[in-house]
Amino acid sequence: MLKNEQRHQHKDYIELSIKNDEDEPPDHEETDEKNQQTEALLTKEESQNYQENGSSSSSSDTFLYYEETDKKEEPNENSLAIQAFPSLIISMIGLILAGDLMDEFQSSDVFLKTPELFILLPILLNLKGNLEMNLAARFSTSSNLGELDYGTTRRSLILGNLSLLQVQSLVAGAIAGLASFALGLITRPGSNYPSYYEMMFMTASAMVSASFSAAILGIFMCALIVLCRKLNIDPDNIACPMASSTGDIVTLVLLAVCASLLQHQMETILSTAIVVGMLAMIPLFSIIVWRNKHVKDLLFAGWTPIILAMVISSLAGILLEEYVEEYKGIALLTPVLIGLAGNLGSIYASRISTCLHAETKESYKTVEYTLLIMNLPVQAIYMFIIWIFGLGRLQYNFWFFITYFIVSMLSAWISLTIGKFMTIVFWKMGYDPDNYVIPYLTACIDVVGTILLVVTFSVLTSTGATDMSVSAAP
């Protein structure tokens, strides 16, 4: 990874040069040589002006001009709420739709005949979500650094990132399929299906849905961020929530379709052939990534946080499964609670990472308080939706609403704190936060948010404020 100083030490020259949409930005060595020539020319002109006019007014004017270009543009916090609020609302709606789809799929034949799909869902969604949010953060940084302003560089970045996303998604799909099958053997010994064919069925379903989902969402995210650059909108404010909300829905639908089509051919070699074909695509996309100078280093980077995040999130899944039958509303409230908190933290981390790359200043407290306050109206809209439609069979009273808002604000504050801390720490350690922070952040919020909600429901029930137990009457 290029050091920050090496990457931006000649920013003045790039800003003063004439940009051609079809040209690449100048290389660092070329920029060094031209800057040296410019400095020598300025020194010569300064000497001549002094000899001819007895003063250095021309040099002073030139110095002031360059001094002005050296000022770094600070991010505008006033536009944060305007740009981020709609994306958070869309994210919230997407989380609700994803929850409804999950409820529908749980009663479908394909899920009832293959219970391992229930194990596969959270693993696959977690892995895929982290990959797409990493892409959103990474591409947003490229946009804010001006790298998308050059036609050749823009095309190279898009092709490289989409190819990298395919490699990561295919590997993640294989891991999710094998992991869910292994967990299924532990929790459901004596399965009626042949183990080998069921393993291939799970792996093929996961890899196909992950690959197609990556293609759809990758193209969508790249197009969205390029459009944001054209419209002078900061993609850091909207990209991560959009990737999170749309990713779950698309992956859910594709997994259900793939599993339904392949289940009828489970005891044939069709799933095996699909797995072999998908595995063969990994080296092909890897070659494309390896030959792309913009994303080459990312081929072997960032895998550790993605895998560890899956393990951490599985703890939240175990906790959720333990209490979902004890307290009503847990399955309904948890995805939105942790999803919105994770999105707020991801926006914060993405903005800080961009500022670190671009060497601009971020008003941390202003951005943090703005994002924290934005959580209130979004959660209020969510509460209104589930109340008006009577979702979750919950007892809606003052204590329920006040405790939920306290938990949601606490989760959001923890997410923002973790996001800021991790971004700065990884940057100081020499790692690109765009590739490391978000997986750990979302995994931690999964566990923390689930624990807070379970504890809150337990306290409400034990104190008699609101009976949240499943046996209680609605």
Side-chain angles (χ1 to χ4, degrees):
M1 184 182 66
L2 292 174
K3 295 294 184 182
N4 212 27
E5 293 83 359
Q6 295 174 336
R7 196 170 181 177
H8 302 289
Q9 61 183 343
H10 300 301
K11 186 180 177 184
D12 290 347
Y13 175 81
I14 296 176
E15 289 180 346
L16 289 171
S17 63
I18 299 175
K19 295 182 181 180
N20 188 329
D21 189 58
E22 297 302 324
D23 294 333
E24 290 192 69
D27 294 333
H28 295 296
E29 295 180 359
E30 180 183 353
T31 306
D32 290 341
E33 182 180 351
K34 291 185 177 181
N35 266 353
Q36 291 173 1
Q37 295 175 359
T38 303
E39 291 173 1
L41 179 61
L42 290 174
T43 304
K44 182 178 180 181
E45 290 179 351
E46 178 183 355
S47 176
Q48 293 176 350
N49 289 330
Y50 185 83
Q51 292 175 1
E52 294 175 2
N53 303 324
S55 66
S56 58
S57 59
S58 177
S59 174
S60 177
D61 293 341
T62 305
F63 173 76
L64 289 174
Y65 177 71
Y66 272 84
E67 186 182 47
E68 288 178 1
T69 62
D70 188 54
K71 293 179 181 179
K72 297 176 177 61
E73 181 181 355
E74 295 186 5
N76 183 11
E77 287 83 11
N78 295 331
S79 63
L80 171 60
I82 298 174
Q83 295 177 5
F85 186 74
S87 67
L88 290 173
I89 295 296
I90 294 174
S91 173
M92 181 263 294
I93 296 174
L95 290 169
I96 296 175
L97 292 177
D100 287 340
L101 285 175
M102 196 173 296
D103 288 338
E104 291 290 333
F105 293 154
Q106 286 179 357
S107 59
S108 63
D109 291 338
V110 62
F111 278 81
L112 293 176
K113 291 179 181 178
T114 312
E116 285 83 359
L117 290 174
F118 292 113
I119 304 175
L120 174 61
L121 266 179
I123 298 176
L124 183 62
L125 292 179
N126 177 269
L127 286 171
K128 284 288 285 87
N130 286 328
L131 294 178
E132 285 141 10
M133 292 178 76
N134 277 351
L135 169 66
R138 187 168 60 245
F139 214 64
S140 295
T141 298
S142 297
S143 173
N144 286 320
L145 291 178
E147 295 175 353
L148 301 184
D149 296 344
Y150 301 90
T152 304
T153 306
R154 181 172 60 247
R155 288 189 292 270
S156 179
L157 281 168
I158 292 175
L159 179 61
N161 276 284
L162 291 180
S163 300
L164 176 64
L165 187 60
Q166 281 296 319
V167 174
Q168 294 173 331
S169 297
L170 288 170
V171 174
I175 293 174
L178 294 174
S180 59
F181 173 75
L183 291 173
L185 289 180
I186 297 174
T187 59
R188 195 171 63 93
S191 173
N192 295 327
Y193 293 113
S195 297
Y196 171 78
Y197 289 119
E198 188 174 0
M199 180 179 66
M200 289 294 102
F201 163 73
M202 298 291 294
T203 307
S205 299
M207 294 184 74
V208 171
S209 58
S211 177
F212 279 85
S213 174
I216 295 171
L217 293 170
I219 294 173
F220 170 72
M221 292 310 303
C222 289
L224 176 65
I225 293 173
V226 170
L227 180 62
C228 287
R229 182 66 178 176
K230 299 285 187 182
L231 299 177
N232 198 28
I233 298 174
D234 187 354
D236 283 326
N237 297 334
I238 66 174
C240 285
M242 294 297 292
S244 173
S245 60
T246 56
D248 287 353
I249 296 175
V250 173
T251 305
L252 273 170
V253 173
L254 287 174
L255 178 62
V257 172
C258 292
S260 299
L261 294 176
L262 293 176
Q263 191 178 61
H264 300 293
Q265 306 293 328
M266 183 180 293
E267 298 186 17
T268 67
I269 63 170
L270 178 61
S271 295
T272 303
I274 292 175
V275 171
V276 172
M278 288 289 173
L279 291 175
M281 294 172 61
I282 295 178
L284 296 178
F285 285 111
S286 298
I287 293 174
I288 298 176
V289 175
W290 185 254
R291 292 179 176 177
N292 190 304
K293 65 179 181 180
H294 300 289
V295 295
K296 177 181 178 180
D297 295 337
L298 300 179
L299 189 59
F300 302 103
W303 290 101
T304 301
I306 292 172
I307 302 302
L308 289 180
M310 180 189 71
V311 176
I312 297 173
S313 293
S314 65
L315 299 177
I318 294 172
L319 184 65
L320 184 63
E321 185 179 4
E322 180 72 20
Y323 289 96
V324 70
E325 296 181 358
E326 182 175 349
Y327 298 114
K328 57 188 176 182
I330 288 283
L332 173 68
L333 299 175
T334 302
V336 176
L337 175 72
I338 63 179
L340 288 177
N343 287 335
L344 291 171
S346 299
I347 292 174
Y348 196 21
S350 184
R351 286 177 61 97
I352 297 174
S353 178
T354 295
C355 290
L356 291 172
H357 280 91
E359 294 183 329
T360 56
K361 295 181 179 180
E362 176 76 286
S363 179
Y364 290 143
K365 289 299 181 183
T366 302
V367 174
E368 188 172 333
Y369 290 152
T370 302
L371 291 171
L372 192 61
I373 293 173
M374 286 172 59
N375 183 60
L376 280 173
V378 177
Q379 293 288 1
I381 294 173
Y382 173 61
M383 286 285 101
F384 177 76
I385 291 175
I386 65 173
W387 171 72
I388 201 69
F389 289 102
L391 303 177
R393 299 180 294 107
L394 297 169
Q395 294 183 1
Y396 297 103
N397 60 17
F398 171 80
W399 293 112
F400 167 76
F401 284 115
I402 195 66
T403 51
Y404 177 80
F405 276 106
I406 291 175
V407 169
S408 68
M409 293 299 290
L410 183 58
S411 299
W413 177 78
I414 293 174
S415 179
L416 293 170
T417 304
I418 294 175
K420 176 184 175 181
F421 173 77
M422 284 188 174
T423 303
I424 296 175
V425 168
F426 275 110
W427 179 263
K428 290 182 177 179
M429 293 172 60
Y431 295 98
D432 190 344
D434 287 332
N435 299 318
Y436 286 87
V437 172
I438 290 179
Y440 289 127
L441 171 63
T442 55
C444 291
I445 292 303
D446 285 352
V447 176
V448 172
T450 304
I451 292 176
L452 287 175
L453 198 61
V454 169
V455 170
T456 300
F457 278 26
S458 176
V459 171
L460 288 175
T461 302
S462 61
T463 58
T466 301
D467 193 351
M468 306 302 298
S469 62
V470 173
S471 59

